[in-house]
Amino acid sequence: MAASPEFLVTVPTRGDGREPGRQDRGDWRPDARRPLPSFVTDPRAGASRPSDHLAQVGRAAEIATVGGALVPFDPEGEEALVVAAGLLRQSRHLRVVAGFHPGVATPVYAAKFSASLQRFAEGRLGWQLDVDLDPAVARSQGDFLTGADRYARAEEFLTVAKGVWHEEGYTHEGRFYQVLAGGFQSPNSGLPFPRVHLGGTAPEALALSARHADVHLFTAGEDVAAGVAALSERAAAEGREVAYGLRVPVLAREDEDEAWAGVRGLWALAGAPGDPPGPDPRTGLWPGFATIGGSTPLGLVGSYETVAAGIRGYLDQGVTTFVLEARPAVEETYRLGERLLPLFAKEIERVH
Amino acid sequence: MSIDIYWRIGTHGDQPSLRRRVTSRGEWAPVVPGSLAPGVRDGRRDGYSYVEHMADVARASESSGFVGGLLPSFPFTDDPWATAAALARETTTYRFMIAYQPGFLHPVQAARMSATLQRATGGRVVYNIISGGGGPAQLWWGDRVDHDDRYARTSEFLDVLKGVWGGGPFDYEGRFYRVEGAGLPEPLARQPFPEIYFSGSSKAAIEAAGRHADYYLSWLEPFPDLAAKFDQVRAHSTAIGRAPRFAVRIDVLARDTEEAAWDEVRRGWEHVDPSALTGPDGDSVGWLRSQSFVSWPVRHHRELEVSPNVWGGFHLLRGGPAFGLVGSYQQVAERLDELIGIGVDAFILAGVPHLEEAYRVGEEVLPLLKGRAHGRASGTAGPGRESSVSM
Ligand SMILES: Cc1cc2nc3c(=O)[nH]c(=O)nc-3n(C[C@H](O)[C@H](O)[C@H](O)COP(=O)(O)O)c2cc1C
């Protein structure tokens, strides 16, 4: 029996635009914006802020009845916790997941920041902890831990964050962190801890998720069946249950022809040589998203029904959280809300 | 240079007056009928939280002439970064002065958060760099670094933060921080660097402030002591070729007449718990200084008036520092002019309740200010520059 899916959209934190690389929305590449002819009145000068576009994306997700938004950790983009705070403040329903890595703050501080947001937004904040950073990126963020130590620190980070969150008088003496008589007091106590999203397929990643993840996020292309089987077993051994999620770029249109015409158009605009490849016949995933501005190569292309069938395939494997990525974010979020999500109305209805 | 005047936002609830220590604004006391943000409707909480009231205070400050507000950070408060990020788009000119302790955030992360917030606000982020008061609160935060090392860490933190700000690649290897190939991405790197207000009264603080402060920030002290402290900071800074400006954080209780102001204090004093007449634990030199200006025990509230209108008992009527000004609108304006006369370039004012008092002080006191030329206090050596007031 397929469970009820839950959909999130991915917030563009390096600007956004109609086409790959254009990024003129959100003041990321102001030079890419095409000016109006000089004889046309243009009232925009000085009237907009770089954050206007992020706010617009958040409103689109809220209006389009999408369940949530993921603001990814991106060293080359906007800072996710700050963006998340803004999106939560301007929405009523949207759950917002902020991505960061454990080296950004002490666990006490990360928890303290988050407790305010949970109060401001009635518990709608989630965390996505990125543990497996590229080593050079990690060093540029001031983080020199490597290998299994990164998972050991992430484990202790989450232990301490949850410790101060749930326990007044909490004390901890560990390898990375110490706290003496800590712990939140009212009104910062008794709040729901941010829903924890983790990922990765390494044994250390699965061990961490077994103990701490609420949602384990796969990236499209990873061996989801094997991952679910291995992690479910590990989680059961910890007496826990983990939900599964998938990060997947999508390009969905009225029919197949229109979707593939869209792919060809973006492929050409991105300046990629030759014709775009077809989907992988075994998985149905199209491998070209990185070329057309996606954050990961493999994703779903096709009619709304085809894309929905792809998602159902994952639902059958136990995945329930779908973090979709579609650009440009505002228009595509509206499209998902109006055309793709209704195809899951039955599954969603069954649980509500 | 014009004078910048801020109005604090309380980040842990507020009282409707100084008469009683009842926190009916925010969730810090039980939510009952009469509580606001959250309030009670039909017997249930109305779904609002304290951030709604903070938004009201920010908007009230903005419209009554303040340039922005200080958001304090303690174990029991709301977090200033989270608050500023939430309120960024609900104000237009309001500057968010975020109090934070280096050491809790990585400087690269602080740079990223700041630049994103600069983009969200149009460059309205200001820092209040605090290095912690030690004692149990420091360990509560998970910080075991001792007093002078905290200032060493603060210094390194600001070196790294400034190092990555313009872009990079930036390498650094210090006692507390190490980065390699660091730097903000281009669109974030275009943002203006936040002004730094720097607090701390110890030797270590004054040395670090000399290197990093745009404004050296102090609690209010008797004016000659304040002037002496500024002289020390100035001496340290001059020695290394810098010239910080000076700021004071002051509680204000101003009324039409002096009698009305003191009467308000008296009404609060009737409820003061005598056992509250001791300071907190910790290694804060600033707090010990503030307590040294008063000879305890004290029986009558006016005994805490160490010089005309300068009253050292505010911490007994609400949480926070001891010293502030009590008097008529005219007197309070004159004292502020005197402070301008001894070299103060910026004020962070506060009053309880923050919402109503923002309007009062903005409308009744600030318009009476005359500026530096009129504020030369007798017996203190001010630089005597002309100044205009930007509120
Ligand atoms: C105007 C002002 C505001 C302060 N705000 C805070 C604050 O929000 N949170 C905090 O923990 N400490 C705050 N402090 C205290 C400092 O962290 C520090 O403990 C204090 O300045 C003592 O340092 P010292 O020992 O060098 O004098 C503030 C200090 C001043 C002067």
Side-chain angles (χ1 to χ4, degrees):
Chain A
M1 183 205 81
S4 165
E6 166 188 345
F7 292 96
L8 285 76
V9 290
T10 309
V11 174
T13 52
R14 294 186 202 183
D16 190 15
R18 301 188 74 77
E19 297 143 17
R22 194 150 151 190
Q23 291 168 291
D24 53 336
R25 297 187 194 168
D27 190 42
W28 202 255
R29 284 191 46 205
D31 52 309
R33 179 182 257 192
R34 295 179 197 166
L36 297 182
S38 58
F39 56 84
V40 175
T41 309
D42 186 347
R44 291 176 298 181
S48 68
R49 292 181 210 171
S51 58
D52 289 351
H53 185 62
L54 287 167
Q56 180 80 338
V57 172
R59 269 191 301 268
E62 173 94 349
I63 291 305
T65 73
V66 176
L70 169 71
V71 192
F73 168 71
D74 179 359
E76 294 301 313
E78 307 264 15
E79 200 287 320
L81 285 160
V82 167
V83 173
L87 300 186
L88 286 167
R89 174 69 182 151
Q90 58 163 35
S91 56
R92 283 186 225 161
H93 306 284
L94 201 67
R95 280 175 294 96
V96 181
V97 180
F100 58 95
H101 76 96
V104 302
T106 65
V108 178
Y109 201 76
K112 182 79 177 347
F113 179 102
S114 301
S116 284
L117 291 191
Q118 292 298 56
R119 296 221 332 283
F120 299 171
E122 297 188 275
R124 292 183 282 122
L125 174 72
W127 283 2
Q128 198 220 340
L129 273 195
D130 261 329
V131 180
D132 186 18
L133 297 188
D134 170 84
V137 169
R139 291 195 297 272
S140 78
Q141 305 297 302
D143 188 9
F144 288 73
L145 279 187
T146 54
D149 280 352
R150 295 169 309 162
Y151 287 95
R153 181 191 48 192
E155 162 98 44
E156 202 179 316
F157 183 96
L158 285 165
T159 300
V160 173
K162 290 176 179 177
V164 295
W165 194 279
H166 293 298
E167 197 182 322
E168 209 180 319
Y170 178 78
T171 290
H172 173 86
E173 188 66 41
R175 205 179 134 200
F176 300 95
Y177 309 109
Q178 300 89 29
V179 177
L180 184 67
F184 297 170
Q185 293 177 9
S186 175
N188 288 327
S189 58
L191 303 163
F193 191 80
R195 217 166 140 73
V196 175
H197 299 66
L198 293 164
T201 49
E204 296 95 333
L206 296 181
L208 177 65
S209 276
R211 279 193 290 276
H212 284 290
D214 295 306
V215 183
H216 185 88
L217 282 181
F218 296 100
T219 300
E222 288 175 351
D223 188 344
V224 171
V228 168
L231 181 48
S232 300
E233 199 173 299
R234 282 173 184 265
E238 303 281 341
R240 299 183 73 245
E241 236 177 274
V242 175
Y244 298 96
L246 182 77
R247 290 183 70 169
V248 58
V250 296
L251 195 157
R253 295 289 182 272
E254 191 89 27
D255 54 41
E256 297 297 313
D257 286 350
E258 196 182 342
W260 290 104
V263 164
R264 282 192 299 277
L266 291 171
W267 192 260
L269 277 167
D275 285 335
D280 181 314
R282 195 175 53 83
T283 60
L285 293 169
W286 182 64
F289 272 102
T291 307
I292 60 167
S295 61
T296 164
L298 291 155
L300 293 166
V301 174
S303 67
Y304 301 122
E305 290 73 19
T306 302
V307 171
I311 288 172
R312 280 213 174 77
Y314 287 102
L315 266 175
D316 292 339
Q317 297 179 54
V319 175
T320 50
T321 298
F322 293 90
V323 183
L324 309 178
E325 180 181 85
R327 300 284 177 265
V330 174
E331 297 94 312
E332 291 298 306
T333 297
Y334 264 75
R335 182 197 298 281
L336 296 172
E338 285 170 329
R339 307 304 302 271
L340 185 69
L341 269 50
L343 302 181
F344 295 91
K346 276 212 189 69
E347 282 96 334
I348 292 171
E349 228 167 64
R350 210 167 40 229
V351 294
H352 291 297
Chain B
M1 273 314 283
S2 62
I3 305 275
D4 287 346
I5 306 181
Y6 291 80
W7 185 260
R8 172 184 185 270
I9 296 186
T11 44
H12 65 286
D14 205 3
Q15 320 172 174
S17 77
L18 286 176
R19 296 176 187 179
R20 269 180 209 80
R21 296 191 73 160
V22 176
T23 306
S24 53
R25 300 174 182 187
E27 304 98 317
W28 279 261
V31 176
V32 296
S35 300
L36 307 180
V40 177
R41 273 168 232 253
D42 304 328
R44 275 183 289 132
R45 281 191 184 207
D46 62 5
Y48 288 116
S49 75
Y50 184 60
V51 70
E52 307 295 342
H53 176 66
M54 290 194 283
D56 285 343
V57 175
R59 282 185 294 254
S61 316
E62 188 170 85
S63 66
S64 46
F66 296 93
V67 297
L70 167 64
L71 292 89
S73 167
F74 290 95
F76 45 85
T77 63
D78 268 322
D79 178 71
W81 289 99
T83 304
L87 299 183
R89 295 179 54 79
E90 287 165 50
T91 47
T92 43
T93 59
Y94 191 83
R95 298 184 209 156
F96 296 93
M97 188 187 290
I98 296 174
Y100 72 102
Q101 298 199 33
F104 301 174
L105 280 174
H106 193 279
V108 175
Q109 171 70 3
R112 282 170 37 71
M113 289 169 68
S114 303
T116 292
L117 207 42
Q118 289 292 54
R119 283 164 57 80
T121 56
R124 293 186 280 125
V125 178
V126 177
Y127 293 155
N128 177 19
I129 298 289
I130 48 179
S131 297
Q138 212 65 32
L139 300 167
W140 182 97
W141 285 110
D143 187 14
R144 281 205 299 213
V145 174
D146 70 23
H147 184 278
D148 288 7
D149 272 350
R150 290 201 302 272
Y151 284 102
R153 180 177 62 188
T154 291
S155 243
E156 271 195 17
F157 176 96
L158 290 170
D159 285 339
V160 176
L161 182 41
K162 290 172 183 168
V164 301
W165 192 266
F170 174 75
D171 293 347
Y172 187 90
E173 187 142 7
R175 267 176 69 203
F176 298 94
Y177 300 108
R178 183 177 163 204
V179 296
E180 186 184 300
L184 291 181
E186 213 268 320
L188 299 191
R190 285 200 296 264
Q191 294 300 313
F193 192 81
E195 275 186 330
I196 296 179
Y197 282 66
F198 196 106
S199 307
S201 297
S202 56
K203 191 161 169 288
I206 288 172
E207 278 167 16
R211 287 191 50 209
H212 291 288
D214 294 314
Y215 288 83
Y216 174 78
L217 173 61
S218 176
W219 285 317
L220 182 64
E221 297 183 351
F223 297 2
D225 300 272
L226 203 54
K229 192 155 83 166
F230 291 166
D231 283 343
Q232 265 186 40
V233 176
R234 208 177 277 117
H236 264 286
S237 306
T238 312
I240 55 169
R242 294 189 82 253
R245 295 190 281 271
F246 294 94
V248 196
R249 153 85 179 80
I250 307 176
D251 264 64
V252 169
L253 200 171
R255 292 291 182 271
D256 232 349
T257 62
E258 180 176 14
E259 295 69 45
W262 285 114
D263 196 51
E264 198 62 28
V265 170
R266 182 193 56 75
R267 295 178 74 149
W269 187 260
E270 285 170 3
H271 297 99
V272 166
D273 169 8
S275 72
L277 302 178
T278 58
D281 298 337
D283 58 15
S284 163
V285 173
W287 175 258
L288 296 174
R289 258 177 87 93
S290 90
Q291 292 308 288
S292 72
F293 304 128
V294 172
S295 41
W296 304 95
V298 165
R299 276 166 310 273
H300 190 267
H301 61 273
R302 289 298 284 261
E303 291 169 36
L304 288 170
E305 188 184 13
V306 297
S307 63
N309 309 111
V310 178
W311 192 63
F314 276 97
H315 60 302
L316 303 171
L317 305 186
R318 51 103 187 95
F323 277 90
L325 298 174
V326 178
S328 67
Y329 299 140
Q330 188 60 46
Q331 287 171 322
V332 168
E334 284 166 9
R335 296 297 87 76
L336 294 176
D337 277 333
E338 281 172 23
L339 287 166
I340 294 173
I342 65 166
V344 173
D345 308 276
F347 293 105
I348 299 163
L349 304 182
V352 171
H354 285 72
L355 177 75
E356 293 89 330
E357 294 297 300
Y359 288 117
R360 182 198 300 276
V361 173
E363 290 164 359
E364 302 287 358
V365 178
L366 301 191
L368 301 177
L369 291 175
K370 296 197 164 71
R372 194 154 275 149
H374 302 265
R376 204 77 49 80
S378 54
T380 51
R385 287 169 281 163
E386 281 295 325
S387 71
S388 60
V389 178
S390 95
M391 301 170 205

